[in-house]
């Protein structure tokens, strides 16, 4: 059966010629920022990937097809669309079957990237174990996806609104390599240091690429999480953003916000509580992750040559 994949000519040519490609998610466009800032940020991230020697492939579902790379018109349409489904492993197929428009989370982007033959993916931060999960059982589908799908994901750690110790424990249980880039500490999205030590540290894109290739040679399923700290000049230290996170969490609980609505609500409230600093930091960290992902993708291509 033919997969429902539609490639832009740029991405198709890069894959056919064995050039580096970096997957990019689309929920940051539909659920992370308002229009037109969302489209401007998406184009800036794509430009950053190109500037560092790789081809960007922003992934979304439209008209019953998984689009691997978006044209300018498609990106504009996605950025302005209403009622876009937020897709993870559970609802990717349903969205395709219904012909709905869908934006891919980390888990869904990993799945689509792997189907398209793309091995590296840059995002902002991954989902994880939500605070209070010991009673709510609210754990992102992003975490088990790492054990299933062989894609290296570059992120600024897990979102700081989450329970980071429990998130690391679940990743360890799933056998997922968690690699801090250039430091020992596990980063916390807007902050460089969560106060937790990362299980692994690597200091070059070449090392990370070699580990990805070695996993394949050993027959190990799943991918890697590369925790790339936000640039120092853009970070909001944990002691500064912590009070805003606690306030937003308390408001979410008081209003009964749950499931897929939690993260967008919290990010929106933290944006307001920080006077927009959190969004500026978010854009800076995504650009930083795009740079590293492009370098890793290039190193993987060199190793496979």
């Amino acid at each position: 059966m033919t997969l429902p994949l539609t490639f832009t000519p740029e991405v198709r040519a890069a894959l056919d010629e064995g050039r580096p490609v970096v997957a990019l998610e689309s929920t940051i466009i539909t659920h992370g920022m308002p229009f037109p800032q969302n489209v401007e940020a998406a184009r800036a991230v794509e430009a950053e990937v190109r500037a560092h020697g790789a081809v960007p492939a922003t992934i979304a579902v439209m008209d019953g097809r998984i689009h691997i790379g978006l044209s300018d018109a498609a990106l504009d349409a996605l950025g302005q669309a209403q009622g876009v489904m937020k897709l993870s492993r559970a609802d990717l197929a349903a969205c395709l079957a219904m012909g709905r428009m869908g934006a891919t989370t980390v888990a869904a982007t990993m799945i689509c990237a792997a189907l398209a033959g793309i091995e590296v993916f840059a995002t902002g931060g991954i989902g994880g174990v939500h605070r209070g999960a010991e009673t709510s059982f609210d754990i992102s589908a992003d975490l088990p996806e790492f054990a299933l799908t062989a894609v290296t994901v570059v992120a600024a750690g897990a979102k700081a609104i989450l329970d980071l110790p429990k998130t690391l424990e679940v990743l360890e249980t799933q056998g997922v390599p968690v690699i801090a880039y250039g430091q020992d500490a596990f980063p916390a999205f807007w902050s460089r240091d969560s106060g937790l030590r990362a299980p692994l540290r690597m200091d070059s894109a070449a090392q990370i690429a070699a580990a990805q290739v070695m996993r394949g040679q050993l027959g190990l399923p799943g991918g890697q999480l590369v925790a790339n700290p936000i640039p120092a000049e853009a970070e909001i230290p944990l002691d500064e953003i912590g009070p805003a996170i606690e306030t937003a969490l308390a408001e979410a609980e008081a209003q009964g916000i749950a499931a897929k609505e939690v993260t967008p609500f919290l990010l929106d409230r933290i944006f307001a509580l920080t006077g927009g600093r959190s969004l500026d930091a978010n854009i800076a960290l995504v650009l930083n992750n795009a740079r590293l992902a492009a370098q890793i993708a290039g190193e993987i291509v060199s190793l496979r040559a």
Side-chain angles (χ1 to χ4, degrees):
M1 179 178 173
T2 303
L3 291 169
L5 301 177
T6 295
F7 295 82
T8 59
E10 180 188 28
V11 173
R12 183 69 273 168
L15 291 169
D16 288 346
E17 295 163 13
R19 292 186 282 119
V21 178
V22 172
L24 302 169
E25 63 155 290
S26 46
T27 50
I28 195 170
I29 300 168
T30 58
H31 294 76
M33 302 178 197
F35 180 83
Q37 195 168 21
N38 55 355
V39 173
E40 292 167 359
R43 290 203 170 104
V45 174
E46 289 189 344
E48 200 69 21
V49 171
R50 290 191 182 96
H52 288 82
V55 171
T58 301
I59 293 175
V61 172
M62 297 177 173
D63 304 317
R65 307 282 297 178
I66 298 169
H67 287 255
I68 310 296
L70 298 178
S71 66
D72 283 344
L75 185 54
D76 276 328
L78 183 67
Q80 298 177 70
Q82 301 295 314
V84 179
M85 290 179 70
K86 185 179 179 183
L87 303 179
S88 192
R89 173 173 280 269
D91 34 28
L92 175 60
C95 180
L96 287 162
M98 292 187 292
R100 292 275 303 276
M101 182 177 286
T104 53
T105 61
V106 168
T109 306
M110 289 177 73
I111 293 166
C112 297
L115 290 173
I118 300 170
E119 297 185 77
V120 182
F121 161 35
T123 186
I126 66 163
V129 179
H130 281 264
R131 301 187 193 194
E134 61 272 17
T135 55
S136 70
F137 290 86
D138 192 349
I139 300 173
S140 171
D142 292 353
L143 299 186
E145 197 61 49
F146 279 96
L148 297 169
T149 303
V151 173
T152 288
V153 179
V154 182
K159 295 182 177 73
I161 55 179
L162 302 168
D163 187 321
L164 298 184
K166 288 188 177 68
T167 297
L168 286 173
E169 288 291 346
V170 170
L171 287 167
E172 180 185 34
T173 299
Q174 297 283 349
V176 178
V178 178
I179 303 161
Y181 180 67
Q183 65 179 36
D184 295 322
F186 183 69
F189 199 59
W190 299 290
S191 311
R192 290 176 63 83
D193 189 345
S194 66
L196 302 169
R197 188 180 180 90
L200 296 165
R201 171 179 175 164
M202 293 185 183
D203 296 328
S204 72
Q207 287 181 325
I208 296 165
Q212 165 90 345
V213 172
M214 182 60 71
R215 285 182 64 80
Q217 291 172 346
L218 295 174
L220 294 172
Q224 306 181 129
L225 171 60
V226 179
N228 184 32
I230 183 172
E233 66 274 11
E235 85 160 323
I236 308 175
L238 212 52
D239 59 353
E240 288 184 37
I241 200 163
I245 293 171
E246 295 302 327
T247 298
L249 286 164
E251 290 177 358
E253 184 175 1
Q255 295 180 39
I257 308 294
K260 287 188 177 184
E261 302 308 314
V262 173
T263 297
F265 174 86
L266 293 175
L267 295 179
D268 184 61
R269 291 299 298 132
I270 292 166
F271 170 80
L273 292 164
T274 60
R277 282 182 71 199
S278 64
L279 182 56
D280 292 339
N282 194 350
I283 293 170
L285 66 85
V286 174
L287 290 170
N288 192 45
N289 294 340
R291 287 190 286 271
L292 179 57
Q295 293 162 7
I296 295 167
E299 294 289 350
I300 289 175
V301 166
S302 296
L303 286 169
R304 296 201 189 283

